[in-house]
Amino acid sequence: MEKFVINGGGRLDGKVRVESAKNAVLPMLAGAILTSEDVVIKNCPKIRDVLVMIKILKSLGVKVKFETNDLIVNASGINGYIIPSDLCGELRSSVFLLGALLSRVKRAEMAFPGGCKIGERPIDIHIVALKYLGVDFFDISTKIVCSVKTLKGAKVCLAYPSVGATENLLLSSVLANGTTVIKNCAKEPEVKDLCSFLRSMGAKIFGEGTDTITVEGVKRLHGTVYTPIGDRIEAGTYFIATLINGGMVEISNCFPQNLLPLIDKFCYNTCKINTFNDIILITSKNKVKGFTVTTAPHPAFPTDLQAQVCALACVASGCSVITETVFENRFLHLPEMIRMGADAVFDGKRAVFNGVKSLHGANVFAKDLRGGAGLVLAGLGAEGKTVVNDAMHVNRGYYKLAEKLTSLGADIKLVRDRNTKECYEE
Ligand code: UD1
């Protein structure tokens, strides 16, 4: 068991550097099996999701090793196509291996992917899209069993701009015969970064960041040395923490344009935001005024920062309204925040807050990754001691969160019982 123990209050001041983006690195790890040559992912974060993905790759005969912070993947000896069920269940991103395995070994077998329980999270859009490329599915009831003779380029219009389905389609089309056109694709910065990564391996991809991506299949891909983009969600988490506690924090390794939905939302509120190159400097003295946020696919407000802005709404002055449109069960953190004194009501889609002067510390439980991060921020801003139990959810996506916040002046530590391994250990 792991938990965060937080003594709330106090300003945050200093500098913090974010890791490479979890949601960029995970599909890249799947993409690394598309060549027999070495793929080096620079500054790869040693977070739990990455470590589980590494275990999956190793189970398929792929060699993976860390050299300090760089991850080296060599899939020349890949000899499997079945992803172990227990590992699939731990990680939503195991689904990316569907497209990558179909490209590389023409078949795949896996249990339904796990991940945060923030909604149904079906993979129907992935399956329909892969069928367009010629993939035969033999079972999609209890597990996914599929194969393909030859992947053939096709025109595919996604029913929803799903991040995962777009990435799966990219991974399955880069080595296909002919051209694939993906309409209504996701435009998230991590999708763009996956395109850049695949291009650095020799793929021909155009149009990422717009509604339509075109992929011209190539015969082979080669190795690469690639530095993924910084994690905008990690950056956004420190940004919102500074709004809650006040202070002056410089966040580096994150391009401000990838955080525009957050910056635009608060730049006319009470804080001051300066940006240059890959740095965001945020200065916050006064309480944020009540605000509205509606999550939606990029370039709208990211659902992965919804729980963190809920923590902010709890202590904003006045009324705030937060609407979640991406996942149908993503307010799992709210009952916990209410136990900390939040004045909030919510249904499945919308939460309405009357900001309180301050939250008070409590014993709360993280139910999912970003919800857990939201509770950490609530605890940082609260009076007294907060314990955020089940911190393993948070450690799936944040590297050394407690240490980084401590370096900004927060009083927070990660406590684990004797039987729990350090999550950064392989
Ligand atoms: C990715 C991110 C996650 C983020 C989410 C939305 C990774 C590893 N995870 O998740 O952090 O919160 O994007 O920005 O990159 N849907 C279907 N059928 C499908 C696929 C999706 O109905 O086949 C629905 C989902 O249930 C959800 C919505 O579409 O309601 C968005 O899902 P999607 O964009 O696919 O998110 P993920 O790729 O799972």
Side-chain angles (χ1 to χ4, degrees), residues 94 173 345 358:
S94 51
S173 60
V345 287
S358 169

Side-chain angles (χ1 to χ4, degrees), residues 21-24 26 49 116 118 121 163 188 190 231-238 240 259 262 293-298 300-310 323-327 330 333 368-374 377 396-398:
K22 166 180 101 68
N23 288 353
L26 290 166
D49 271 11
C116 290
I118 51 181
R121 306 189 85 177
V163 173
E188 269 65 5
E190 294 77 18
D231 196 316
R232 66 191 164 110
I233 305 302
E234 187 192 357
T237 302
Y238 301 126
I240 296 164
L259 256 189
L262 182 66
V293 154
T294 300
T295 67
H298 194 77
F301 195 91
T303 173
D304 283 355
L305 287 175
Q306 180 258 101
Q308 299 88 322
V309 284
C310 279
T323 307
E324 169 64 48
T325 75
V326 180
F327 291 102
R330 205 166 198 185
H333 43 279
D368 63 273
L369 162 52
R370 304 301 173 188
L377 298 199
R396 283 186 35 220
Y398 290 87

Side-chain angles (χ1 to χ4, degrees), residues 392-404:
M392 72 278 186
H393 292 297
V394 181
N395 292 330
R396 283 186 35 220
Y398 290 87
Y399 183 62
K400 305 213 169 190
L401 180 64
E403 283 94 325
K404 289 190 184 187

Side-chain angles (χ1 to χ4, degrees), residues 72-186:
I72 303 168
V73 182
N74 185 293
S76 54
I78 189 164
N79 56 16
Y81 64 92
I82 302 174
I83 306 175
S85 303
D86 53 331
L87 297 177
C88 274
E90 277 193 48
L91 185 67
R92 174 77 185 171
S93 302
S94 51
V95 74
F96 298 132
L97 282 161
L98 211 54
L101 280 169
L102 285 163
S103 273
R104 182 71 199 267
V105 294
K106 307 282 179 261
R107 59 197 297 196
E109 193 174 318
M110 64 183 288
F112 280 89
C116 290
K117 308 281 180 271
I118 51 181
E120 265 312 297
R121 306 189 85 177
I123 55 163
D124 54 324
I125 300 173
H126 301 237
I127 290 172
V128 168
L130 290 170
K131 280 184 179 172
Y132 273 100
L133 266 65
V135 178
D136 292 314
F137 284 85
F138 304 104
D139 189 357
I140 48 169
S141 53
T142 51
K143 57 182 179 174
I144 308 154
V145 183
C146 57
S147 72
V148 66
K149 282 203 181 75
T150 310
L151 284 160
K152 292 194 189 102
K155 280 195 181 134
V156 186
C157 182
L158 303 182
Y160 181 92
S162 153
V163 173
T166 303
E167 293 174 337
N168 234 333
L169 213 43
L170 283 165
L171 293 165
S172 52
S173 60
V174 279
L175 288 169
N177 273 355
T179 300
T180 299
V181 180
I182 314 170
K183 288 193 170 288
N184 196 29
C185 60

